[in-house]
Amino acid sequence: MKMHAAVVTSFDEAPHYLPFEVPEVQEGQVVLDVLAAGLHPRVRTGATGQHYTSSGTLPMIPGIDGVGRRADGTAVYFVADDDVIGTMAEKAVVDRRRMVPLPAGADVAKVAAAMNPAMSSWVALRRRVPIQPGQSVLILGATGNAGAMAVQVARRLGAGRIVGAGRDAARLATVPADEVVALGDGPDALAAAAAEVDIVLDYLWGRPASAAMMALLTARSDRSRQLDWIQIGSVAGPTIELPSVALRSANLRLQGNGQGAVSPRAYLAELPALIEEIGTGTITVTPRAIPLADVERAWARPDVPGERIVLTPGTGFNSDEG
């Protein structure tokens, strides 16, 4: 049986809207009609073959999660099984253990847009370093969509003080943190605002992270007090230069949050609670729905702060305002 999908035929090109064979259903799997799939930065990276989980197999369908409809009409949020047959298609074959029913009337576009960017900070503060009420958090990269949502997540999970740092000065002014710092003002400005934080959620890595790490550790009034640094994204570079003294002269605990660092079972266990938060509006992002057939146009569209592109296969659901 054939379906239409966004198909990557070359890692140097955007996906094309092409016919594709519906995967065979194995034991423990079901076929879903896909309603919406988010075009996340992680999806773009996977479609170029550059994500650390990429197998390099072509052709492939991008997409790591989405919202689908079961044969009985139930809407579910689901996570893809692998990086080859993803979610940007009319149908998806999904492991029953990797989907969660949505409440009646749930905004499927909003769920598809918000789950992935919110999940990074949600899991980081629930599973990697469970935040304690009143602890302070620095969001390094707060002007990106995931970073801005991390401010909402940290607040919802009980952070007492939140510092947002980023490179986009205009967007920084809209970040709902207790204090914001422009990274262009230099490491000393960041240290003045955030030297005493308990947890850092780092979406940047690269040189900004290296400079920030040393500035914070040097300025802490008590270097023996633990600083948990959680590495989540690497938009500023895949590596950092870290002097050994940073680990010997301060109580720094550095760890990552992503596929492999957290088990699939742990991720799945967090889905229902996060879906509820998105449904009640405590964690928000604005979806921009674009028909799956227009995937090449969607791919060329730049990310807009506060928005997330969502591809929608069903003709009755599509909308693209503006």
Side-chain angles (χ1 to χ4, degrees), residues 169-259:
R171 178 83 195 278
L172 198 59
T174 69
V175 173
D178 297 298
E179 188 171 354
V180 295
V181 180
L183 291 175
D185 291 343
D188 290 344
L190 182 61
E196 305 301 333
V197 299
D198 300 295
I199 301 170
V200 178
L201 300 183
D202 178 10
Y203 288 89
L204 298 180
W205 209 230
R207 285 189 174 184
S210 180
M213 196 177 297
M214 294 306 300
L216 264 61
L217 293 176
T218 301
R220 283 174 85 77
S221 58
D222 179 2
R223 295 191 188 184
S224 67
R225 187 166 65 85
Q226 184 168 295
L227 174 62
D228 283 295
W229 194 288
I230 310 175
Q231 202 285 314
I232 300 174
S234 55
V235 297
T239 62
I240 67 168
E241 182 176 311
L242 182 62
S244 61
V245 68
L247 300 175
R248 297 199 310 270
S249 65
N251 188 358
L252 172 65
R253 187 169 70 164
L254 177 61
Q255 58 185 304
N257 183 58
Q259 292 171 262

Side-chain angles (χ1 to χ4, degrees), residues 38-278:
L39 179 49
H40 314 300
R42 159 71 178 84
V43 174
R44 293 182 184 274
T45 304
T48 63
Q50 296 179 359
H51 193 263
Y52 65 86
T53 63
S54 177
S55 65
T57 301
L58 290 176
M60 67 166 287
I61 298 173
I64 57 174
D65 67 348
V67 175
R69 182 183 291 117
R70 300 183 59 164
D72 63 3
T74 305
V76 298
Y77 171 77
F78 68 98
V79 180
D81 289 2
D82 59 47
D83 74 323
V84 178
I85 307 299
T87 62
M88 292 183 168
E90 292 176 321
K91 295 183 181 294
V93 175
V94 182
D95 188 322
R96 295 176 186 272
R97 297 168 298 181
R98 289 176 170 259
M99 59 188 190
V100 178
L102 297 181
D107 187 326
V108 299
K110 186 178 292 185
V111 172
M115 284 295 285
N116 175 262
M119 183 64 70
S120 61
S121 53
W122 183 269
V123 171
L125 294 177
R126 296 255 293 188
R127 295 281 175 165
R128 298 303 278 158
V129 179
I131 188 170
Q132 302 303 310
Q135 283 191 308
S136 54
V137 180
L138 167 64
I139 314 293
L140 196 60
T143 53
N145 278 337
M149 293 184 76
V151 176
Q152 302 176 46
V153 169
R155 186 83 67 198
R156 180 65 184 87
L157 294 180
R161 179 172 178 266
I162 302 170
V163 180
R167 295 177 291 185
D168 185 334
R171 178 83 195 278
L172 198 59
T174 69
V175 173
D178 297 298
E179 188 171 354
V180 295
V181 180
L183 291 175
D185 291 343
D188 290 344
L190 182 61
E196 305 301 333
V197 299
D198 300 295
I199 301 170
V200 178
L201 300 183
D202 178 10
Y203 288 89
L204 298 180
W205 209 230
R207 285 189 174 184
S210 180
M213 196 177 297
M214 294 306 300
L216 264 61
L217 293 176
T218 301
R220 283 174 85 77
S221 58
D222 179 2
R223 295 191 188 184
S224 67
R225 187 166 65 85
Q226 184 168 295
L227 174 62
D228 283 295
W229 194 288
I230 310 175
Q231 202 285 314
I232 300 174
S234 55
V235 297
T239 62
I240 67 168
E241 182 176 311
L242 182 62
S244 61
V245 68
L247 300 175
R248 297 199 310 270
S249 65
N251 188 358
L252 172 65
R253 187 169 70 164
L254 177 61
Q255 58 185 304
N257 183 58
Q259 292 171 262
V262 179
S263 72
R265 179 177 295 181
Y267 267 111
L268 291 168
E270 295 297 337
L271 296 183
L274 184 54
I275 288 171
E276 182 178 351
E277 297 292 341
I278 293 168

